Amino acid sequence: MTNTDLRRADVAALIDHTLLKPEATRADAEATVAEAARLGVYAVCLAPSMLPIDTGDQRTCVVVGFPSGKHHSLVKAAEARLAVDSGAQEIDMVIDVGAAVDGRYDEVFSDILTVREAIGDSALLKVIIESAVLLERGGPDMVAEVCRRAEQAGAGMVKTSTGFHPAGGASVDAVRVMRGAVSPHIGVKASGGIRTAEAAAELIEAGATRLGLSSTAAVLEGFPE
């Protein structure tokens, strides 16, 4: 698709409507679910403490090891399993970014595999790599290697960012590298700092197959019906 091909419904079908603020309340989560239904997005992405929650026609996505990724792998696995047992259909886990920066890719692989095995085949596993940090510290090769390890460990999607790291969120450069590093059937989720239709369109064109947004309504407003 080019920018002129993108329509509001096309983009909505790629969006995880997201609420991950630490101060978010149960009422905020319910409002996010209602807005997701109104906008016709693909999924709702929430913190695990919000489960169980009925997201209706939208899939339920939950973050794990969020936002630092510094949790023990077994803790991430238990958190992911509990989330799936409580209704999550997708798990967005954060890797130990420091292990990646150190070049300890076997540990990154093991971390992801531990979560994959804990949830079995019952949920989609998306792996958050903090691409801005990896590009800064190790360049495209580091980003690509982490993505390859994620695929080998059973991830169904690789994701740019938590949106909480000061290094930044999604970028076109990161998405291009990530898309090129994994097989065609592996998704790429761009998340973090996407606030305009122009930014969303650029990321989709770069290869993003999913977008994590909190400013969903404003972004969709920029696309024609």
Side-chain angles (χ1 to χ4, degrees):
M1 287 187 175
T2 65
N3 283 3
T4 54
D5 293 324
L6 290 168
R7 294 293 182 265
R8 193 171 301 174
D10 300 325
V11 179
L14 306 180
I15 292 174
D16 292 353
H17 188 42
T18 303
L19 175 68
L20 296 171
K21 293 179 180 179
E23 69 272 21
T25 65
R26 172 63 61 169
D28 293 332
E30 297 288 357
T32 297
V33 169
E35 185 176 32
R38 178 175 63 81
L39 296 172
V41 300
Y42 184 78
V44 181
C45 186
L46 301 168
S49 61
M50 295 299 181
L51 297 177
I53 190 169
D54 182 2
T55 58
D57 293 335
Q58 280 65 47
R59 287 173 66 84
T60 306
C61 168
V62 167
V63 293
V64 162
F66 196 89
S68 72
K70 288 298 187 183
H71 311 65
H72 193 286
S73 295
L74 293 178
V75 174
K76 293 181 189 179
E79 186 176 34
R81 182 69 252 174
L82 179 60
V84 170
D85 288 345
S86 300
Q89 296 160 301
E90 302 191 357
I91 297 293
D92 287 24
M93 69 163 288
V94 188
I95 65 165
D96 182 342
V97 182
V101 169
D102 275 347
R104 292 182 280 121
Y105 300 120
D106 287 346
E107 293 182 25
V108 174
F109 170 85
S110 178
D111 189 39
I112 300 165
L113 182 62
T114 300
V115 175
R116 173 77 273 168
E117 291 181 339
I119 63 174
D121 297 325
S122 58
L124 175 68
L125 179 61
K126 290 134 76 186
V127 175
I128 306 172
I129 69 168
E130 291 293 16
S131 56
V133 179
L134 301 189
L135 282 174
E136 179 182 281
R137 299 293 294 274
D141 288 346
M142 181 175 285
V143 172
E145 182 62 21
V146 170
C147 289
R148 285 191 288 267
R149 295 301 182 103
E151 179 176 356
Q152 291 165 6
M157 190 172 290
V158 287
K159 176 178 171 181
T160 59
S161 328
T162 61
F164 283 74
H165 200 287
S171 70
V172 167
D173 287 345
V175 168
R176 284 178 178 152
V177 173
M178 294 165 72
R179 179 69 275 162
V182 295
S183 302
H185 67 278
I186 302 297
V188 176
K189 179 175 173 180
S191 184
I194 307 167
R195 299 185 179 89
T196 66
E198 291 76 16
E202 288 176 358
L203 291 163
I204 294 168
E205 290 194 356
T209 56
R210 194 86 67 89
L211 301 175
L213 304 178
S214 55
S215 303
T216 305
V219 169
L220 288 177
E221 193 63 31
F223 290 97
E225 293 277 5

